[in-house]
Amino acid sequence: MTISFEPTEASKAAREHYRKVAEEQMRPVSRKYDDEEHTLPKEWVDWFWQEGRHGGPRPTDGPGDGFIQVCIQAEELCWGDAGLYLRMPTPALGGSAVSAAGTAEQKKKFLSPFREKGGHPIWGAMAITEPQAGSDSAAIETTAELDGDEWVLNGTKIFCTAGEGASTVEGGFVVVWATVDKSAGRGGIKSFVVPAGTPGMELVGTEHKLGIRASDTATLRLENCRVPQDHLLGSSAVKKKDPSKTGDKGFKGAMATFDASRPIVAAMAVGVGRAALDFLLEELERQGVRVRYDAPPAEVTALERDVMEMEAELQAARLLTWRAAWMMNHGKPNNLEASMCKAKAGLAVTKITQKAVELLGPLGYSKKLMVEKWMRDAKINDIYEGTQQINQLIVARRILDYPSAMLR
Amino acid sequence: MIGFDPTEEQALIVETVSQFAQNEIRPVARECDESGKLPDSVLAQAHELGLVANALPESVGGGGERSAVLGALVTEELAWGDLAIALGILSPALVALPVAEFGTDAQRERLAHYAGESFVPGALALQEPRFGSDPFRPGCSAERDGNGFVLNGSKCQVPWMDGDDTVLVFATLDGRGEGFLVSRAADGLSAERERNLGIQALPTATLSLDGVRVDADARLGGDAGCDLSRIVTQGRVALAAAGLGVSRAAFEVARDYAKEREVFGVKVAQKQAIAFKLADMAIEIDAARLLAWEAAARLDAGQDALREATLAYDQVRRVALEVADGAVQVFGGHGYIRDYLPEMHLRNARGFASFEALALV
Ligand SMILES: Cc1cc2nc3c(=O)[nH]c(=O)nc-3n(C[C@H](O)[C@H](O)[C@H](O)COP(=O)(O)OP(=O)(O)OC[C@H]3O[C@@H](n4cnc5c(N)ncnc54)[C@H](O)[C@@H]3O)c2cc1C
């Protein structure tokens, strides 16, 4: 046991590798796909499918930092472009759900196509949010009814990341949350794998957004959409009183996937924030402005204060993120720490990127540079995977030891 | 005497402009932002309200009632409707007000042009596209050449609408910032349309001035020159007011949404995390507005107001960003979507970090 912040050689190699990918494959098309909002970023997607996904060190290579390495990858690629990162043909959050709650057969059936050589790019996605239910995910109204040996899904999902690709391109899938018994509340909520192209799942459209415009954020309609019985993830048992005691990976299990995904989102945030901060520091250097870390208090300039605060906030967010990921590596419950890092990172990079635009003056505001884009991209990190307020709520419950009934 | 309510006459004007902002500007704001175009008919209608003309001297057909306080009140209402459209509507003031205040008799003759039948946009070039741009010390230079001047340098965030042939350019002459009325078609002047994070509907340009020659009578105020500090002060009051309009718009949209939308069986506004955020917004907006009004009142009283205007603008820069960012947050995921206003307010609000003299009172 030791306190150390030194990444392993494998992690360093991963960082170098993904930094290069970000520089060579993402940055050159970053502005283009911000402008051309609903166009498939073909260069990137094809490259990733043909080469990107096979290259690169794996988190499991050698004695590694495990999950921290996944965070490092997310940071580097989002330093490249967060929208393109979300457009990568991978199982994404849908994959996390299948990995967390699926059986061995389910994992093989739904995830192995993403590893096969050749073929064409495919996507996975997770659809929880509905028009009337965002933060309050237990309030979803999409229903699943068993009819013979098939589940029949009905409802509308919004804001589904990668939902366009995952719902339409053969081979991909959407993990849809639905209730099998409304009266059971959260105990009745289950998740279902709906393969792309399943009749009854319709892509209604994609959103126009502030940022991460290269990412397809879809509205999906499910109308008598039928999937085989074994597409349910986890058990179908509904326990009304205490869903946690079903030994099921239904609602609670699904919520637990957030403990893994929040550090990744935090790492993505850090990547966007770092893009802006790196650029700012380079620009200051070009201008001959040096930040003094040893200036007498009365002489510290406003600019130096701002930069030091930005640097400190970013690093604090990164370390909280690594801690949450490290806890996962060691099988420690990290629900508190996952929300801490997500809350910190989402807000820190929102402010860092906004500050960078400010400090660069009219240059920061102009689309000639990328800083304004990073400001737009950064904000989503304070919203999805639990808003700032929801993550604060989770942290508060944990530190106060209050159940959700006492603090909501 | 200390007082916090406008005169009856001011209240009446504010009411009219507020209606205009609500009925004419707000409905087209989003579409204008997406298409990057200002609505000509709205600009023409706004011109009929005579907001700028009212502040111009009677001798040129204006109302002779220039008031920074009224300017601030009106600017806030227009910007509440939409910032880019407001800046477009008020753009004639960018040239007309400095010329009215500092211009030579010959220069003042052109004022009738802005107080006339149809809308004539204005263009003022102060801000510069460089790190550390400083309005008091333009990097753009003016050098004497025979009986004229030669201008060199670059400018940005210059409103650049069709319909007028003049741009008021600020440059350093003998160590002082001075204004020059330059023909937009002058040799050596080139304009490139900008794309910015916000105010996308307002056409703005980056200008390069490469040995642009102007005659001696192009200098604002002739040999006496002008008071750049006063122009910057007027600009900061106007922009503070505009920032308050954006802030109030974002606040109201967020407040209304929070009272509509349900989460966990209650209204979003019933969550203290959100209620307190909204309360903070309201406090900060009112506080910043009083700073802006105080600065405006000092201008109207003929006092120096650089300090007050700068403090007010400094507050508004921060408040506008925080309120608009807060509005996006209150909307949750919906705040990130361009069907709703908060993300546009956020992009516009951030602009106050770099705007200088993009509006004048
Ligand atoms: C670009 C994008 C991508 C997304 N991707 C996905 C995806 O792939 N899959 C998916 O299922 N969803 C996705 N989402 C949805 C996202 O997770 C939700 O938008 C988010 O959870 C917030 O929900 P909401 O928008 O309904 O806001 P609401 O829940 O309506 O929240 C409104 C406001 O109330 C606050 N609030 C809510 N509850 C409380 C409380 N208890 N206490 C205090 N404040 C509270 C919120 O913080 C927010 O400020 C995405 C959203 C966006 C914008």
Side-chain angles (χ1 to χ4, degrees), chain A residues 93 99 161 198 285 395 407:
Chain A
L93 283 179
S99 301
T161 297
T198 304
E285 201 175 304
V395 170
L407 193 64

Side-chain angles (χ1 to χ4, degrees), chain A residues 126 128-129 134-135 159 161 387 389, chain B residues 261 271 329-330 333-334:
Chain A
M126 172 119 100
I128 308 170
T129 307
S135 301
F159 299 165
T161 297
T387 62
Q389 288 70 28
Chain B
R261 173 99 178 153
K271 293 293 177 193
Q329 196 66 32
V330 167
H334 298 82

Side-chain angles (χ1 to χ4, degrees), chain B residues 110-166:
Chain B
R110 58 179 303 116
L111 286 178
H113 177 57
Y114 297 102
E117 287 273 289
S118 50
F119 174 79
V120 177
L124 183 154
L126 180 61
Q127 187 58 285
E128 300 185 347
R130 61 189 171 90
F131 184 79
S133 169
D134 174 358
F136 297 102
R137 294 159 198 87
C140 185
S141 67
E143 270 164 54
R144 280 171 224 282
D145 177 45
N147 58 354
F149 303 93
V150 174
L151 307 180
N152 279 294
S154 46
K155 294 287 171 184
C156 67
Q157 297 185 348
V158 184
W160 207 249
M161 287 167 269
D162 292 336
D164 197 18
D165 56 2
T166 304

